[in-house]
Amino acid sequence: MSTSKPAAPHVTNFIRNIIESDLAKKTYAARTWGGKPGGAKTHAGAPPDPAKIRTRFPPEPNGFLHFGHAKSICLNFGLAQDFTGVCHMRFDDTNPEKEEQEYVDSILDAVKWLGYDWCANGTEHLYFASDYFDFMYEAAEYLITAGHAYVDEQSAEQIRANRGTLTESGKASPQRARPAADSLQALRDMRAGKHAEGSMVVRAKIDMASPNINLRDPAIYRIRKATHHRTGDKWCIYPMYTYAHPIEDALEEITHSLCTLEFEDQRPFYDWLLERLAEGGLLAKPLPHQYEFARLNLTNVVLSKRKLIQLVDEKHVDGWDDPRMPTLVGARRRGYTPEGFRAFADRIGVSKSDSWIDFSVLEDCMREHLNEVAPRRVAVLDPVKLVIDNYPDGQEEECHPPNHPQKPDWGKRAVPFSKELWIEREDFMETPTKGYFRLFPGNKVRLRYGFVIECTGCDKDASGRVTAVHCNYFADSKSGTPGSDNYKVKGNIHWVSARHAYACEVRLFDRLYKEAHPGAGDRDHIKDLNQNSKHVITAQLEPALKDANAGEHFQFERHGYFVADRVDSKPGAPVFNRAVTLRDSWHK
Ligand code: ATP
Ligand code: MG
């Protein structure tokens, strides 16, 4: 008998295959979970882990999240959701210098905004690597005692010089063979603050001849007399990232630890370290496994904190939440949506080889979602007056455009119509080019959801610039009234009643960088910035838009999807950002 499989919610990928195979083989089925992160003692004798898998999103709180992080968030939280697992939100705050509470708050906000949650079965899985400093320190003492680590008093330059090269093995430090008791005392003195920064480090004792340079006795602890954003001045020694990260994963019983490809060469150390600590009874088995996937590279932006910091510091943009920035705070202001990001993550998938994703793929995902959720409104972005000479002065009436052409249940709204309207400057040509069907003297068009008009001419100023377009209307042609279809016209233009319009600041954005691969080769990425990536205009909007709430989305017909800016909008006076045009309009 054949059983029909439910439609797969996601395209499969190598990570999903690994997880499915682990579940089939019951690789992690015997795991117990002590209710909180901890070493072997915490989990021994505890009930079986209700989470089938555990993943984590482990940002360092030293900046704002960018679109690359969104890929990682959707991947880690998405896998946990799909495989009845749990995804931990963990701050990798082992570096005291650059980390700040402000970043912690902003990161939590961004993850929530994307639609994910670290609370499962009533437990908050929100963790900080700094909460594990005691364990990490104990583990370092253990490694020294067991002969797997030593304190090295060479200078940083000596250590670097003695590390060897790809073709030459490294040279052992004079302290490599010192007695464990000696190293242990040195570590304790380091911890007690008796030594200067840079005077010594703790190193794992692995193999100075390894072809993988990461295994040539990597440093695991260093002296830093810095105040940490959470532990204050409790510590003056801090674990190295490569030492801390595997331990964090193991204490949290992460099953599948996903990271970007540049960590592939670190995996042997990851495994070596966890095996040694499990041997010593410090960690519970089965141990976590690291898998690497290709980072997101997106054309026309940069996804590196260092470069993004430079854009902000040098004021090439108006801050981290500038709508042009590829940060999640920027995207949110721009009017991008969490649904759009999740669809994007699904569409680009995960693979093991680096590639570039075209920015238009992200825009398509935003467009598709906004098309579903954004009510239609009318806005004239480059206004010129249209005067209907035969329309009675002082008269006004209502027209009734639909709120969404494909969703009749969203209803219609009333918009005022009067003798003087705003229309787009490009909807009139005194001398039409071939194939132009909009307004020119003698031509008829329909004012969308209103009347058919015939153009009679225009007014111009001394420089020849058109200051007003004139026309007459046909009183029996109003959309929706009997006989209105007797008028056959090719052009259909949008408009806003001039007397009622809301004159409003609107920001239009273009690609942040003019080059697809900013800074490629040896170029300075700053030179690749698009100097015309932001246009601020005063547009004429249909009057009801005055009441838009900050963060509310609309499609402005013919112009794209817009959002009322979350920061600069005031009640009764929103300003709008264009999230994305209706079609891809970027040409090189
Ligand atoms: P950057 O390289 O921009 O400084 P990072 O890797 O240092 O970023 P972290 O805070 O350490 O930033 O990253 C948190 C998580 O996000 C890591 O697991 C990392 O692999 C992932 N991540 C960062 N950048 C990308 C990217 N471009 N694509 C996919 N995942 C990413
Ligand atoms: Mg990092």
Side-chain angles (χ1 to χ4, degrees), residues 13-312:
N13 59 49
F14 79 97
I15 294 174
R16 302 181 77 87
N17 292 341
I18 289 167
I19 294 175
E20 276 162 10
S21 137
D22 281 335
L23 292 177
K25 288 188 296 196
K26 303 200 184 313
T27 312
Y28 297 102
R31 271 181 328 120
T32 59
W33 169 250
K36 59 175 200 279
K41 277 189 240 134
T42 303
H43 302 295
D49 190 352
K52 295 263 186 307
I53 62 165
R54 287 184 185 263
T55 56
R56 85 286 174 264
F57 174 62
E60 192 181 343
N62 62 352
F64 292 88
L65 297 185
H66 56 59
F67 296 178
H69 295 117
K71 173 178 177 172
S72 176
I73 293 167
C74 293
L75 178 64
N76 282 295
F77 281 93
L79 288 169
Q81 275 176 355
D82 291 350
F83 290 99
T84 11
V86 171
C87 180
H88 296 187
M89 177 71 227
R90 180 208 306 154
F91 287 98
D92 216 325
D93 58 348
T94 51
N95 182 1
E97 277 104 354
K98 296 185 220 145
E99 296 162 357
E100 285 172 33
Q101 187 61 35
E102 181 197 5
Y103 297 130
V104 170
D105 297 338
S106 146
I107 290 170
L108 291 177
D109 221 44
V111 175
K112 274 190 223 152
W113 179 70
L114 280 177
Y116 297 107
D117 185 357
W118 43 88
C119 186
N121 314 315
T123 308
E124 292 259 2
H125 297 283
L126 170 61
Y127 303 118
F128 289 83
S130 52
D131 289 343
Y132 311 142
F133 281 168
D134 284 313
F135 185 97
M136 290 173 187
Y137 177 80
E138 296 301 324
E141 285 210 350
Y142 165 75
L143 290 172
I144 288 177
T145 311
H148 298 310
Y150 59 99
V151 172
D152 190 353
E153 295 176 24
Q154 292 182 108
S155 67
E157 295 79 66
Q158 284 169 324
I159 290 180
R160 207 172 307 121
N162 290 337
R163 202 166 42 192
T165 63
L166 287 175
T167 50
E168 245 177 277
S169 65
K171 278 206 259 327
S173 158
Q175 266 106 28
R176 196 174 200 264
R178 74 202 279 185
D182 232 45
S183 279
L184 193 60
Q185 191 53 50
L187 171 61
R188 289 178 179 169
D189 290 344
M190 276 169 74
R191 180 189 182 170
K194 294 187 187 164
H195 298 290
E197 277 191 21
S199 62
M200 53 188 72
V201 292
V202 184
R203 296 177 74 177
K205 194 191 285 184
I206 311 180
D207 179 4
M208 287 307 289
S210 172
N212 183 340
I213 294 182
N214 297 302
L215 294 181
R216 295 184 188 168
D217 292 8
I220 63 175
Y221 258 98
R222 65 205 162 122
I223 302 169
R224 275 283 178 283
K225 300 199 169 160
T227 304
H228 185 278
H229 78 124
R230 296 189 87 234
T231 57
D233 294 323
K234 176 175 175 191
W235 298 92
C236 61
I237 57 171
Y238 289 93
M240 304 299 289
Y241 174 84
T242 46
Y243 171 77
H245 200 88
I247 294 179
E248 295 157 25
D249 283 346
L251 295 178
E252 294 179 20
E253 295 215 324
I254 300 304
T255 54
H256 301 82
S257 172
L258 312 178
C259 63
T260 42
L261 286 173
E262 65 270 25
F263 293 101
E264 194 167 4
D265 291 345
Q266 289 291 349
R267 186 165 11 103
F269 177 64
Y270 185 106
D271 292 337
W272 178 91
L273 175 63
L274 296 186
E275 282 295 341
R276 296 295 79 72
L277 296 178
E279 263 167 30
L282 278 77
L283 292 177
K285 280 202 165 182
L287 294 167
H289 241 281
Q290 174 182 303
Y291 301 96
E292 307 86 19
F293 64 95
R295 60 188 291 115
L296 171 65
N297 295 307
L298 195 61
T299 62
N300 302 94
V301 289
V302 291
L303 296 179
S304 133
K305 256 179 248 165
R306 188 177 53 78
K307 290 179 182 165
L308 295 174
I309 287 170
Q310 192 187 354
L311 293 181
V312 174

Side-chain angles (χ1 to χ4, degrees), residues 541-588:
L541 274 45
E542 71 172 75
L545 284 168
K546 223 174 156 55
D547 300 320
N549 296 314
E552 218 178 334
H553 287 95
F554 300 96
Q555 185 197 92
F556 291 174
E557 292 192 16
R558 290 172 67 194
H559 293 306
Y561 297 97
F562 290 72
V563 69
D565 187 276
R566 302 173 70 237
V567 176
D568 300 329
S569 292
K570 303 209 168 44
V575 300
F576 287 90
N577 299 328
R578 177 154 66 190
V580 60
T581 53
L582 291 181
R583 273 169 293 279
D584 187 11
S585 57
W586 171 252
H587 302 291
K588 285 180 199 142

